[in-house]
Amino acid sequence: MTRSFRLWMAVAAIFLVTNVAGAVYALVMVEQRHALLHLLLVVPGVYWVARLARKRRAVRDQLAAPDDIDARLQRIEQAVDAVAIEVERVGEGQRFMTRTLTEDTAGEPARRE
């Protein structure tokens, strides 16, 4: 994770914990409006932390995909090998046809008309 992501995650966690603690404190002090304000601020705090956690999971899942990349690279390698074999066959066929067309049955080069 990047440094800025960790910083935002820490800020979001501090925001959430502070508002939960503030709501508890305000309820103990019997300040309903103050407690309600903190409880209302808990909602965006939970959303913020959940969104950052989801983003963290997505990044971690992307980084955990090298097994898939290895399999794809192996398939690409096999495809390139197959293409190389076919190109070799085409080249051999072309050399054979060139030699056949340039040689006459008597050993003389064929004429072009």
Side-chain angles (χ1 to χ4, degrees):
M1 295 287 116
T2 62
R3 183 178 290 179
S4 64
F5 180 81
R6 289 181 183 156
L7 177 67
W8 280 113
M9 191 64 161
V11 168
I14 290 169
F15 179 81
L16 182 61
V17 169
T18 303
N19 280 301
V20 169
V24 170
Y25 177 77
L27 285 173
V28 169
M29 300 305 281
V30 191
E31 297 176 359
Q32 286 85 14
R33 289 169 136 182
H34 186 192
L36 181 62
L37 176 65
H38 280 291
L39 288 175
L40 288 175
L41 287 173
V42 165
V43 174
V46 168
Y47 172 75
W48 195 13
V49 169
R51 186 171 177 184
L52 287 171
R54 194 175 325 123
K55 191 174 193 179
R56 179 179 175 196
R57 263 182 270 140
V59 169
R60 188 179 61 220
D61 290 345
Q62 284 179 344
L63 294 176
D67 295 335
D68 182 41
I69 291 173
D70 288 340
R72 291 177 72 189
L73 285 175
Q74 187 176 12
R75 288 193 304 267
I76 290 171
E77 184 178 345
Q78 289 172 350
V80 168
D81 288 342
V83 169
I85 290 169
E86 292 302 318
V87 167
E88 181 73 25
R89 287 181 184 166
V90 168
E92 288 175 8
Q94 189 175 15
R95 283 191 295 276
F96 174 76
M97 289 301 295
T98 302
R99 187 176 55 236
T100 302
L101 291 174
T102 56
E103 293 178 353
D104 195 29
T105 55
E108 297 177 8
R111 290 189 204 171
R112 293 181 114 191
E113 296 181 27

